[in-house]
Amino acid sequence: MTGVAITGLGVVTCHGSGTRALWDAMMAAPVTDPGPVSDPFAHMDVPVVQGVSEVYLPAESQALARTSRLALTAVDEALADAGLPLAESAGAARARIGLSLGTCMGDSGLHEQWRADGGKPAERFTSALGVAGEIADRLGPLSVATTISNACAAGGFALGAAADLVRSGEADIVLAVGADAYSRVMLACFNRMGAVDPVRCRPFDLHRRGTSFGEAAGALVVESTEHARARGATVRAVVEGSGWTCDAYHLTAPEPGGTQIIRAMRAALDETGTDSDRIGCVLPHGTGTQLNDVVESRALNEVLGVDVPLYSLKALIGHTGGAAAAVAAVAAALILRYRTVPPNVPITEQDPECRVWLPQGLVTPLASDRIMVNGYAFGGNNVSLVLAGAGTLAGAETLAGVGT
């Protein structure tokens, strides 16, 4: 089976643009409260978000809608990190390069703007597909440009699909991206459900009151190990396994027994051919909603036990919707690079029903070279991914710059 290497990383969050900004924030673990949205039509009880400051986005991208701007910011960094000048690629080489994008709402802000302002409809296509179109416009003809909109697990599905395209031989390189910006309709829906925490996103905290949204994009360049080896690319991490399942239980609530999220985790583990005790850290879905955190905790206990450290990214950057699992995968690759589990953003009191290890106030050495990333979503969509350090690749010593 073809190995799948991650050779480029890019990210933008409320803490800044770039992997260095994300890693610095992860290590500092600041308590960052969401701020008010700059939307005069946000007539809702809790109109707050952990937004991305304009200073973190390229000025030349201002003509684009916001989710596309976030996505392209992350894509540009990932391509540069991978040493992949797509603009210079010849037609034959480009025909082996693909794009797999995950997003909840796409560039819905364009649609919301003209509806609220009473102006003319946007000339641009405003569905979720438009973001992939903007990236393709930037990069030029590709072998495939697909959009996966499996709600808040979309970025994880996009990475899993990208890895499958590489494993199957359909592509040599696939750019996996997750992106979502503030959306009035999404935040309003969660307000109507009473599922927005007015404080911030507090996964596994006894006093959590729902989730809190953030803006972000994460991008990963994945390619076959053979292709990476041939072009002398530096391997950042490896996609070893992925598991996809669906609860088929409820539109918004997870199945209380966690049967299908357990199956997703075990399917991802089975692809690695290793035991569950080789997982050194988990980046949980951890939305801060009452039921999700309890169900995921019990599922983790059953599959991995209670001793594996969790790193709860949403406590740092908010729930970033369709970007969440892709940004978590970028964070996982950084944890593998530095072999350190950063301290979690402190919580007040851990929910006794959530029997998970959530290190706070200290860094924890990564005890094993594999990390699990979970992503769950409305519709019962579940995805689990296992990322491994570059040193786990067969023949890793022949790959240039492995693990640096």
Side-chain angles (χ1 to χ4, degrees):
M1 177 181 292
T2 298
V4 180
I6 297 172
T7 55
L9 301 170
V11 69
V12 59
T13 73
C14 61
H15 294 286
S17 179
T19 55
R20 170 50 64 184
L22 177 60
W23 181 251
D24 287 347
M26 291 167 68
M27 292 299 287
V31 174
T32 308
D33 293 335
V37 298
S38 56
D39 177 5
F41 301 102
H43 303 304
M44 52 192 87
D45 293 338
V46 192
V48 298
V49 68
Q50 286 182 250
V52 173
S53 170
E54 190 70 19
V55 302
Y56 301 141
L57 302 177
E60 61 268 23
S61 68
Q62 284 183 339
L64 300 177
R66 193 160 177 83
T67 299
S68 290
R69 295 186 71 192
L70 296 173
L72 281 166
T73 300
V75 164
D76 286 346
E77 184 191 10
L79 292 176
D81 188 39
L84 202 61
L86 285 189
E88 301 172 9
S89 299
R94 188 177 292 281
R96 301 287 299 164
I97 299 172
L99 167 66
S100 176
L101 175 90
T103 183
C104 283
M105 306 305 295
D107 277 330
S108 62
L110 287 173
H111 190 80
E112 294 174 357
Q113 183 178 356
W114 74 255
R115 291 279 293 181
D117 291 349
K120 295 181 179 179
E123 295 181 355
R124 293 180 49 238
F125 192 37
T126 57
S127 83
L129 305 177
V131 181
E134 291 290 356
I135 298 173
D137 280 349
R138 169 75 70 84
L139 302 182
L142 301 169
S143 67
V144 60
T146 188
T147 298
I148 299 175
S149 194
N150 276 7
C152 295
F157 279 88
L159 179 54
D164 284 350
L165 285 168
V166 169
R167 287 194 188 97
S168 68
E170 292 288 334
D172 292 326
I173 299 175
V174 180
L175 191 58
V177 184
D180 258 316
Y182 160 71
S183 161
R184 186 186 308 147
V185 67
M186 174 178 275
L187 189 55
C189 286
F190 272 75
N191 268 271
R192 288 293 299 271
M193 290 187 291
V196 179
D197 192 326
V199 178
R200 60 182 172 276
C201 194
R202 296 176 288 174
F204 310 110
D205 191 316
L206 178 63
H207 308 289
R208 67 191 184 281
R209 294 170 58 186
T211 198
S212 179
F213 285 97
E215 297 181 313
L220 306 97
V221 175
V222 300
E223 58 186 300
S224 66
T225 53
E226 293 85 356
H227 194 272
R229 182 179 287 111
R231 71 182 188 90
T234 298
V235 177
R236 305 301 186 193
V238 179
V239 183
E240 273 203 333
S242 62
W244 304 359
T245 65
C246 181
D247 292 358
Y249 171 76
H250 190 272
L251 181 61
T252 59
E255 187 269 312
T259 306
Q260 296 306 318
I261 65 175
I262 289 172
R263 192 166 71 88
M265 283 193 276
R266 286 183 169 153
L269 278 170
D270 287 346
E271 281 195 357
T272 70
T274 59
D275 298 329
S276 59
D277 59 5
R278 296 298 305 274
I279 298 298
C281 176
V282 176
L283 274 73
H285 185 60
T287 56
T289 51
Q290 290 291 334
L291 186 55
N292 179 89
D293 288 1
V294 172
V295 172
E296 184 172 18
S297 296
R298 291 172 180 166
L300 286 168
N301 293 167
E302 180 165 334
V303 177
L304 302 176
V306 297
D307 296 328
V308 59
L310 267 58
Y311 180 71
S312 181
L313 185 62
K314 290 182 181 66
L316 181 73
I317 64 173
H319 187 351
T320 57
V327 177
V330 172
L334 296 175
I335 293 172
L336 287 164
R337 177 188 299 180
Y338 297 110
R339 299 197 62 78
T340 297
V341 181
N344 280 278
V345 174
I347 60 175
T348 304
E349 182 180 5
Q350 188 163 334
D351 185 343
E353 288 197 77
C354 300
R355 294 181 59 247
V356 293
W357 180 20
L358 206 62
Q360 298 170 68
L362 74 167
V363 298
T364 305
L366 185 66
S368 181
D369 50 6
R370 289 178 173 83
I371 294 177
M372 177 173 283
V373 175
N374 287 338
Y376 309 137
F378 283 177
N381 293 298
N382 311 303
V383 61
S384 289
L385 301 154
V386 175
L387 271 57
T392 61
L393 277 174
E397 67 281 359
T398 65
L399 288 167
V402 163
T404 58

